[in-house]
Amino acid sequence: MIVGTGIDVVDIPRFAETLERTPGLRTRLFTQAERDLPMRSLAARFAAKEALAKALGAPVGLAWTDVTVERGEDGRPHIVMQGTVQARADELGVVHVHVSLSHDAGIASAVVIAES
């Protein structure tokens, strides 16, 4: 059963400017494994984290670095949760999360579906 859905869109150039303008933001938003990815990939991962938060009801207190968006052996993205995010998913009975990422024409987007 679907517990929640989320979608987010990120303007890649604007996101890049924000990361450049705000020292430390990259560290607060992304795990070590994500930080050195190309900007379009960072923007898509940020969109996925936002979309996941929406799918989980956007509660206060979720830590951005408690979510990692990884690329599977098959090339498809998947979400790894821990800490505050995993606790919220457990609270809602989420056992599987689907994620789709895209980036084109200066826009990155993500859709997340959380299932019980």
Side-chain angles (χ1 to χ4, degrees):
M1 174 158 57
I2 294 175
V3 173
T5 61
I7 185 169
D8 198 62
V9 178
V10 174
D11 180 299
I12 298 170
R14 190 171 126 206
F15 186 68
E17 290 172 11
T18 300
L19 287 180
E20 289 173 21
R21 186 177 61 242
T22 311
L25 186 57
R26 188 181 296 240
T27 303
R28 288 195 313 266
L29 296 178
F30 299 104
T31 63
Q32 184 64 44
E34 298 170 315
R35 290 181 196 143
D36 294 327
L37 293 169
M39 189 55 60
R40 68 180 187 270
S41 295
L42 285 178
R45 279 162 172 74
F46 179 71
K49 292 177 184 209
E50 282 277 352
L52 176 61
K54 292 172 184 176
L56 297 177
V60 174
L62 296 182
W64 294 109
T65 55
D66 282 349
V67 179
T68 303
V69 182
E70 296 181 346
R71 188 169 154 183
E73 290 181 15
D74 59 1
R76 294 172 56 187
H78 64 273
I79 289 178
V80 177
M81 300 178 288
Q82 62 180 6
T84 60
V85 177
Q86 185 64 60
R88 177 61 176 171
D90 291 347
E91 182 181 316
L92 295 174
V94 173
V95 295
H96 190 74
V97 175
H98 304 273
V99 61
S100 179
L101 308 177
S102 186
H103 40 71
D104 188 33
I107 300 291
S109 61
V111 174
V112 169
I113 299 171
E115 284 187 306
S116 62

Short mmCIF file of all heavy atoms in Angstrom, two decimals, residues 61-108:
data_model
loop_
_atom_site.label_atom_id
_atom_site.label_comp_id
_atom_site.label_asym_id
_atom_site.label_seq_id
_atom_site.Cartn_x
_atom_site.Cartn_y
_atom_site.Cartn_z
N GLY A 61 12.60 17.94 11.97
CA GLY A 61 13.65 17.18 12.64
C GLY A 61 14.34 16.13 11.80
O GLY A 61 15.22 15.43 12.32
N LEU A 62 13.97 15.98 10.53
CA LEU A 62 14.68 15.03 9.69
C LEU A 62 16.05 15.61 9.34
O LEU A 62 16.16 16.78 8.99
CB LEU A 62 13.91 14.75 8.39
CG LEU A 62 12.55 14.07 8.52
CD1 LEU A 62 11.96 13.82 7.13
CD2 LEU A 62 12.64 12.78 9.30
N ALA A 63 17.08 14.79 9.41
CA ALA A 63 18.44 15.22 9.08
C ALA A 63 18.74 14.86 7.62
O ALA A 63 18.56 13.71 7.22
CB ALA A 63 19.45 14.57 10.00
N TRP A 64 19.19 15.86 6.86
CA TRP A 64 19.48 15.64 5.43
C TRP A 64 20.47 14.51 5.22
O TRP A 64 20.36 13.75 4.26
CB TRP A 64 20.04 16.91 4.81
CG TRP A 64 19.08 18.04 4.75
CD1 TRP A 64 19.12 19.19 5.50
CD2 TRP A 64 17.92 18.17 3.92
NE1 TRP A 64 18.07 20.01 5.16
CE2 TRP A 64 17.32 19.40 4.20
CE3 TRP A 64 17.34 17.34 2.95
CZ2 TRP A 64 16.17 19.84 3.56
CZ3 TRP A 64 16.19 17.78 2.32
CH2 TRP A 64 15.62 19.01 2.62
N THR A 65 21.45 14.41 6.10
CA THR A 65 22.49 13.39 5.93
C THR A 65 22.06 12.02 6.44
O THR A 65 22.85 11.08 6.38
CB THR A 65 23.81 13.83 6.60
OG1 THR A 65 23.55 14.14 7.96
CG2 THR A 65 24.40 15.04 5.89
N ASP A 66 20.82 11.89 6.88
CA ASP A 66 20.28 10.58 7.23
C ASP A 66 19.66 9.91 6.01
O ASP A 66 19.01 8.87 6.13
CB ASP A 66 19.24 10.69 8.36
CG ASP A 66 19.91 10.85 9.72
OD1 ASP A 66 21.15 10.66 9.82
OD2 ASP A 66 19.20 11.15 10.69
N VAL A 67 19.84 10.53 4.84
CA VAL A 67 19.39 9.96 3.57
C VAL A 67 20.56 10.01 2.59
O VAL A 67 21.19 11.06 2.43
CB VAL A 67 18.23 10.77 2.95
CG1 VAL A 67 17.80 10.16 1.62
CG2 VAL A 67 17.07 10.88 3.89
N THR A 68 20.82 8.90 1.94
CA THR A 68 21.80 8.86 0.86
C THR A 68 21.10 8.32 -0.37
O THR A 68 20.37 7.33 -0.29
CB THR A 68 23.00 7.94 1.20
OG1 THR A 68 23.58 8.38 2.42
CG2 THR A 68 24.04 7.96 0.10
N VAL A 69 21.30 8.97 -1.50
CA VAL A 69 20.78 8.47 -2.76
C VAL A 69 21.95 7.80 -3.46
O VAL A 69 22.93 8.46 -3.82
CB VAL A 69 20.16 9.59 -3.63
CG1 VAL A 69 19.59 9.00 -4.92
CG2 VAL A 69 19.08 10.33 -2.85
N GLU A 70 21.86 6.49 -3.61
CA GLU A 70 22.93 5.71 -4.23
C GLU A 70 22.51 5.21 -5.60
O GLU A 70 21.31 5.13 -5.89
CB GLU A 70 23.29 4.52 -3.34
CG GLU A 70 23.85 4.91 -2.00
CD GLU A 70 24.23 3.71 -1.15
OE1 GLU A 70 23.83 2.57 -1.48
OE2 GLU A 70 24.91 3.93 -0.14
N ARG A 71 23.49 4.86 -6.36
CA ARG A 71 23.24 4.28 -7.69
C ARG A 71 23.51 2.79 -7.60
O ARG A 71 24.61 2.37 -7.21
CB ARG A 71 24.17 4.93 -8.70
CG ARG A 71 23.89 4.56 -10.10
CD ARG A 71 24.68 5.45 -11.01
NE ARG A 71 24.92 4.79 -12.26
CZ ARG A 71 25.62 5.29 -13.22
NH1 ARG A 71 26.19 6.47 -13.06
NH2 ARG A 71 25.79 4.65 -14.33
N GLY A 72 22.50 2.00 -7.92
CA GLY A 72 22.64 0.55 -7.86
C GLY A 72 23.49 0.01 -8.98
O GLY A 72 23.84 0.72 -9.93
N GLU A 73 23.82 -1.25 -8.89
CA GLU A 73 24.62 -1.91 -9.93
C GLU A 73 23.94 -1.85 -11.29
O GLU A 73 24.60 -1.85 -12.32
CB GLU A 73 24.89 -3.36 -9.54
CG GLU A 73 25.86 -3.49 -8.38
CD GLU A 73 26.13 -4.93 -8.02
OE1 GLU A 73 25.82 -5.83 -8.82
OE2 GLU A 73 26.67 -5.15 -6.92
N ASP A 74 22.60 -1.79 -11.27
CA ASP A 74 21.84 -1.71 -12.52
C ASP A 74 21.72 -0.27 -13.04
O ASP A 74 21.07 -0.02 -14.04
CB ASP A 74 20.45 -2.32 -12.34
CG ASP A 74 19.63 -1.63 -11.26
OD1 ASP A 74 20.12 -0.65 -10.65
OD2 ASP A 74 18.49 -2.06 -11.02
N GLY A 75 22.33 0.69 -12.31
CA GLY A 75 22.29 2.09 -12.72
C GLY A 75 21.11 2.88 -12.16
O GLY A 75 21.07 4.10 -12.29
N ARG A 76 20.17 2.18 -11.56
CA ARG A 76 18.98 2.85 -11.01
C ARG A 76 19.29 3.43 -9.64
O ARG A 76 20.03 2.84 -8.86
CB ARG A 76 17.83 1.86 -10.91
CG ARG A 76 17.36 1.38 -12.27
CD ARG A 76 16.35 0.26 -12.16
NE ARG A 76 15.21 0.68 -11.34
CZ ARG A 76 14.26 -0.14 -10.96
NH1 ARG A 76 14.29 -1.41 -11.30
NH2 ARG A 76 13.26 0.31 -10.23
N PRO A 77 18.71 4.59 -9.32
CA PRO A 77 18.93 5.17 -8.00
C PRO A 77 18.11 4.44 -6.94
O PRO A 77 17.06 3.87 -7.24
CB PRO A 77 18.42 6.61 -8.16
CG PRO A 77 17.36 6.51 -9.21
CD PRO A 77 17.85 5.43 -10.15
N HIS A 78 18.62 4.43 -5.74
CA HIS A 78 17.84 3.94 -4.61
C HIS A 78 18.21 4.74 -3.38
O HIS A 78 19.28 5.35 -3.30
CB HIS A 78 18.00 2.42 -4.41
CG HIS A 78 19.37 1.98 -4.05
ND1 HIS A 78 20.33 1.69 -4.98
CD2 HIS A 78 19.95 1.79 -2.85
CE1 HIS A 78 21.44 1.33 -4.38
NE2 HIS A 78 21.24 1.39 -3.08
N ILE A 79 17.30 4.76 -2.43
CA ILE A 79 17.44 5.56 -1.23
C ILE A 79 17.85 4.68 -0.06
O ILE A 79 17.25 3.62 0.16
CB ILE A 79 16.13 6.31 -0.93
CG1 ILE A 79 15.94 7.41 -1.96
CG2 ILE A 79 16.11 6.86 0.49
CD1 ILE A 79 14.66 8.19 -1.81
N VAL A 80 18.87 5.13 0.67
CA VAL A 80 19.31 4.47 1.89
C VAL A 80 18.99 5.43 3.04
O VAL A 80 19.43 6.58 3.03
CB VAL A 80 20.81 4.15 1.85
CG1 VAL A 80 21.26 3.52 3.16
CG2 VAL A 80 21.13 3.25 0.67
N MET A 81 18.21 4.95 4.00
CA MET A 81 17.79 5.77 5.14
C MET A 81 18.46 5.28 6.41
O MET A 81 18.74 4.10 6.55
CB MET A 81 16.27 5.70 5.32
CG MET A 81 15.48 6.19 4.14
SD MET A 81 13.68 6.03 4.37
CE MET A 81 13.46 4.25 4.23
N GLN A 82 18.67 6.20 7.34
CA GLN A 82 19.17 5.87 8.68
C GLN A 82 18.66 6.94 9.64
O GLN A 82 18.00 7.89 9.23
CB GLN A 82 20.70 5.82 8.69
CG GLN A 82 21.36 7.14 8.35
CD GLN A 82 22.88 7.04 8.37
OE1 GLN A 82 23.45 5.96 8.53
NE2 GLN A 82 23.53 8.16 8.22
N GLY A 83 18.97 6.77 10.90
CA GLY A 83 18.69 7.80 11.90
C GLY A 83 17.27 8.33 11.88
O GLY A 83 16.30 7.57 11.92
N THR A 84 17.14 9.66 11.84
CA THR A 84 15.84 10.33 11.94
C THR A 84 14.89 9.95 10.80
O THR A 84 13.69 9.81 11.02
CB THR A 84 16.01 11.86 11.93
OG1 THR A 84 16.66 12.26 10.70
CG2 THR A 84 16.81 12.35 13.11
N VAL A 85 15.45 9.76 9.62
CA VAL A 85 14.60 9.44 8.46
C VAL A 85 14.10 8.00 8.56
O VAL A 85 12.93 7.72 8.33
CB VAL A 85 15.36 9.70 7.15
CG1 VAL A 85 14.52 9.30 5.95
CG2 VAL A 85 15.77 11.18 7.06
N GLN A 86 14.99 7.09 8.94
CA GLN A 86 14.57 5.69 9.10
C GLN A 86 13.54 5.57 10.21
O GLN A 86 12.57 4.82 10.09
CB GLN A 86 15.77 4.79 9.40
CG GLN A 86 15.42 3.32 9.47
CD GLN A 86 14.92 2.78 8.14
OE1 GLN A 86 15.64 2.84 7.15
NE2 GLN A 86 13.70 2.26 8.11
N ALA A 87 13.72 6.33 11.29
CA ALA A 87 12.77 6.30 12.40
C ALA A 87 11.38 6.74 11.93
O ALA A 87 10.37 6.12 12.30
CB ALA A 87 13.25 7.19 13.55
N ARG A 88 11.32 7.80 11.12
CA ARG A 88 10.02 8.26 10.61
C ARG A 88 9.42 7.22 9.67
O ARG A 88 8.21 6.95 9.72
CB ARG A 88 10.18 9.61 9.90
CG ARG A 88 8.92 10.13 9.27
CD ARG A 88 7.81 10.36 10.28
NE ARG A 88 6.65 10.95 9.59
CZ ARG A 88 5.47 11.11 10.13
NH1 ARG A 88 5.25 10.76 11.38
NH2 ARG A 88 4.50 11.64 9.45
N ALA A 89 10.24 6.63 8.80
CA ALA A 89 9.74 5.59 7.90
C ALA A 89 9.19 4.41 8.69
O ALA A 89 8.12 3.89 8.37
CB ALA A 89 10.86 5.15 6.96
N ASP A 90 9.90 4.02 9.73
CA ASP A 90 9.43 2.91 10.59
C ASP A 90 8.11 3.27 11.26
O ASP A 90 7.20 2.43 11.34
CB ASP A 90 10.48 2.58 11.66
CG ASP A 90 11.74 1.95 11.09
OD1 ASP A 90 11.73 1.53 9.91
OD2 ASP A 90 12.74 1.91 11.83
N GLU A 91 8.00 4.50 11.72
CA GLU A 91 6.77 4.97 12.37
C GLU A 91 5.57 4.85 11.44
O GLU A 91 4.46 4.52 11.87
CB GLU A 91 6.97 6.43 12.80
CG GLU A 91 5.83 7.06 13.53
CD GLU A 91 6.15 8.52 13.87
OE1 GLU A 91 7.28 8.81 14.31
OE2 GLU A 91 5.26 9.36 13.68
N LEU A 92 5.79 5.10 10.16
CA LEU A 92 4.72 5.04 9.16
C LEU A 92 4.54 3.64 8.56
O LEU A 92 3.63 3.43 7.76
CB LEU A 92 4.99 6.04 8.03
CG LEU A 92 4.97 7.51 8.42
CD1 LEU A 92 5.40 8.38 7.25
CD2 LEU A 92 3.59 7.92 8.91
N GLY A 93 5.42 2.72 8.91
CA GLY A 93 5.34 1.37 8.36
C GLY A 93 5.91 1.24 6.96
O GLY A 93 5.60 0.29 6.23
N VAL A 94 6.78 2.15 6.57
CA VAL A 94 7.39 2.11 5.23
C VAL A 94 8.40 0.97 5.17
O VAL A 94 9.28 0.88 6.02
CB VAL A 94 8.07 3.46 4.89
CG1 VAL A 94 8.83 3.36 3.57
CG2 VAL A 94 7.04 4.57 4.84
N VAL A 95 8.24 0.11 4.16
CA VAL A 95 9.18 -0.99 3.98
C VAL A 95 9.93 -0.90 2.65
O VAL A 95 10.93 -1.58 2.46
CB VAL A 95 8.49 -2.37 4.11
CG1 VAL A 95 7.95 -2.57 5.52
CG2 VAL A 95 7.40 -2.54 3.08
N HIS A 96 9.43 -0.07 1.74
CA HIS A 96 10.11 0.09 0.45
C HIS A 96 9.89 1.50 -0.07
O HIS A 96 8.80 2.06 0.08
CB HIS A 96 9.57 -0.92 -0.58
CG HIS A 96 10.40 -0.97 -1.82
ND1 HIS A 96 11.63 -1.55 -1.88
CD2 HIS A 96 10.17 -0.45 -3.04
CE1 HIS A 96 12.13 -1.41 -3.09
NE2 HIS A 96 11.26 -0.74 -3.81
N VAL A 97 10.94 2.06 -0.66
CA VAL A 97 10.87 3.39 -1.25
C VAL A 97 11.30 3.32 -2.70
O VAL A 97 12.38 2.80 -3.00
CB VAL A 97 11.77 4.39 -0.47
CG1 VAL A 97 11.77 5.74 -1.15
CG2 VAL A 97 11.31 4.51 0.97
N HIS A 98 10.47 3.83 -3.58
CA HIS A 98 10.80 3.93 -5.01
C HIS A 98 11.24 5.36 -5.28
O HIS A 98 10.63 6.31 -4.76
CB HIS A 98 9.57 3.64 -5.88
CG HIS A 98 8.94 2.31 -5.62
ND1 HIS A 98 9.36 1.16 -6.26
CD2 HIS A 98 7.94 1.94 -4.78
CE1 HIS A 98 8.63 0.15 -5.83
NE2 HIS A 98 7.77 0.59 -4.93
N VAL A 99 12.27 5.54 -6.10
CA VAL A 99 12.72 6.88 -6.44
C VAL A 99 13.06 6.94 -7.93
O VAL A 99 13.61 5.99 -8.48
CB VAL A 99 13.93 7.32 -5.58
CG1 VAL A 99 15.13 6.41 -5.78
CG2 VAL A 99 14.31 8.76 -5.88
N SER A 100 12.69 8.05 -8.55
CA SER A 100 13.05 8.30 -9.93
C SER A 100 13.65 9.70 -10.01
O SER A 100 13.10 10.65 -9.45
CB SER A 100 11.81 8.22 -10.83
OG SER A 100 12.17 8.49 -12.18
N LEU A 101 14.81 9.82 -10.67
CA LEU A 101 15.52 11.09 -10.81
C LEU A 101 15.60 11.47 -12.28
O LEU A 101 15.68 10.60 -13.14
CB LEU A 101 16.95 10.99 -10.28
CG LEU A 101 17.17 10.46 -8.88
CD1 LEU A 101 18.67 10.36 -8.60
CD2 LEU A 101 16.49 11.35 -7.87
N SER A 102 15.64 12.78 -12.54
CA SER A 102 15.85 13.26 -13.89
C SER A 102 16.54 14.62 -13.84
O SER A 102 16.37 15.36 -12.86
CB SER A 102 14.51 13.39 -14.64
OG SER A 102 14.74 13.73 -15.99
N HIS A 103 17.33 14.92 -14.85
CA HIS A 103 17.89 16.27 -14.98
C HIS A 103 18.06 16.56 -16.46
O HIS A 103 18.61 15.78 -17.23
CB HIS A 103 19.19 16.45 -14.21
CG HIS A 103 20.14 15.29 -14.25
ND1 HIS A 103 20.85 14.93 -15.36
CD2 HIS A 103 20.47 14.41 -13.27
CE1 HIS A 103 21.60 13.88 -15.08
NE2 HIS A 103 21.38 13.55 -13.82
N ASP A 104 17.51 17.72 -16.86
CA ASP A 104 17.56 18.15 -18.25
C ASP A 104 17.23 19.63 -18.30
O ASP A 104 16.42 20.13 -17.50
CB ASP A 104 16.54 17.34 -19.09
CG ASP A 104 16.67 17.60 -20.57
OD1 ASP A 104 17.80 17.84 -21.05
OD2 ASP A 104 15.63 17.59 -21.26
N ALA A 105 17.83 20.34 -19.23
CA ALA A 105 17.52 21.75 -19.49
C ALA A 105 17.62 22.61 -18.24
O ALA A 105 16.81 23.50 -18.03
CB ALA A 105 16.15 21.88 -20.15
N GLY A 106 18.60 22.32 -17.37
CA GLY A 106 18.82 23.13 -16.20
C GLY A 106 17.91 22.84 -15.02
O GLY A 106 17.93 23.55 -14.02
N ILE A 107 17.14 21.77 -15.11
CA ILE A 107 16.20 21.40 -14.05
C ILE A 107 16.49 19.96 -13.61
O ILE A 107 16.67 19.08 -14.44
CB ILE A 107 14.73 21.49 -14.53
CG1 ILE A 107 14.39 22.90 -14.97
CG2 ILE A 107 13.77 20.98 -13.47
CD1 ILE A 107 14.35 23.92 -13.85
N ALA A 108 16.51 19.75 -12.31
CA ALA A 108 16.61 18.39 -11.75
C ALA A 108 15.29 18.10 -11.05
O ALA A 108 14.69 19.00 -10.44
CB ALA A 108 17.76 18.29 -10.76
#
